[in-house]
Amino acid sequence: MTSLEDRVDRVESQLAIQQLPIRYALAVDGRDLDAWVGCFRPDVDMGRHGRGRAVLRQHIEPQVRGFHRSVHQICGHRIEFTGRDTATGAVYCRAEHEVGKRWIVMAICYWDDYARVAGDWYFSRRREQHWYAADVTERPQTVGFVGWEEAGEPALPEAFPSWAAFWKET
């Protein structure tokens, strides 16, 4: 059995991590880029683009100019600790974006890595996988699940091996 101190730390850590997705959503929807990048660890790895929050900000700033209003609704959050200061998680989200005269709805799962740095929890990495992006007046199937080019490619059944038993082409 773990000590009371370890158990309290785990509970406090889980509560802190659970705040990250809503802080992220509020920052995106409020166009608060400082708060947005502040959800990520200071040395966030941006791959070939470099490291750090300034690099992240340069990457996301042009993206938010692609839509006017947005609403990100957090639908569920799973957290699994991989160490005392690291965890992974998945967050379901329904996002809506005003793009010109269109209102795009997306069903998203964010696959997250979290890290505690200097006592605070941050995203280390976020990977977005969505099932569809379609105008609110369209059915996702009628636009091939890609009704907004900026959203990128949707998840395919191959991305989820457990779907194989249930997926049938019609």
Side-chain angles (χ1 to χ4, degrees):
M1 178 171 254
T2 59
S3 72
L4 179 60
E5 182 179 330
D6 288 341
R7 290 171 42 215
V8 169
D9 178 64
R10 179 63 56 104
V11 169
E12 289 178 345
S13 292
Q14 184 162 354
L15 290 170
I17 292 168
Q18 286 174 331
Q19 290 300 302
L20 286 171
I22 190 60
R23 286 178 42 214
Y24 177 96
L26 289 167
V28 173
D29 296 340
R31 302 307 187 271
D32 185 344
L33 298 185
D34 291 332
W36 191 349
V37 299
C39 292
F40 289 83
R41 61 184 300 153
D43 64 343
V44 60
D45 184 354
M46 292 296 297
R48 70 185 190 296
H49 303 288
R51 295 182 81 83
R53 290 178 176 158
V55 175
L56 174 60
R57 185 185 179 107
Q58 289 174 337
H59 181 73
I60 63 174
E61 191 165 5
Q63 292 180 5
V64 298
R65 295 186 190 286
F67 53 92
H68 185 63
R69 280 179 272 259
S70 64
V71 179
H72 288 72
Q73 303 164 20
I74 307 305
C75 305
H77 191 181
R78 184 215 57 189
I79 300 167
E80 294 182 10
F81 288 92
T82 56
R84 182 174 175 82
D85 296 322
T86 57
T88 61
V91 178
Y92 269 33
C93 175
R94 177 184 165 101
E96 302 184 20
H97 302 85
E98 181 183 18
V99 182
K101 294 183 179 188
R102 301 171 71 208
W103 193 262
I104 304 296
V105 178
M106 295 178 69
I108 301 170
C109 184
Y110 289 99
W111 300 96
D112 296 331
D113 295 327
Y114 313 104
R116 181 166 30 192
V117 178
D120 293 316
W121 284 93
Y122 300 100
F123 292 116
S124 285
R125 182 176 180 194
R126 287 208 103 183
R127 293 171 307 279
E128 178 185 306
Q129 188 170 48
H130 70 277
W131 287 271
Y132 65 85
D135 185 86
V136 71
T137 63
E138 301 169 325
R139 292 182 184 261
Q141 299 92 328
T142 63
V143 294
F145 300 93
V146 187
W148 183 31
E149 297 75 28
E150 295 297 319
E153 289 297 315
L156 299 174
E158 297 82 33
F160 297 94
S162 59
W163 286 10
F166 302 97
W167 188 265
K168 293 181 183 175
E169 290 292 329
T170 56

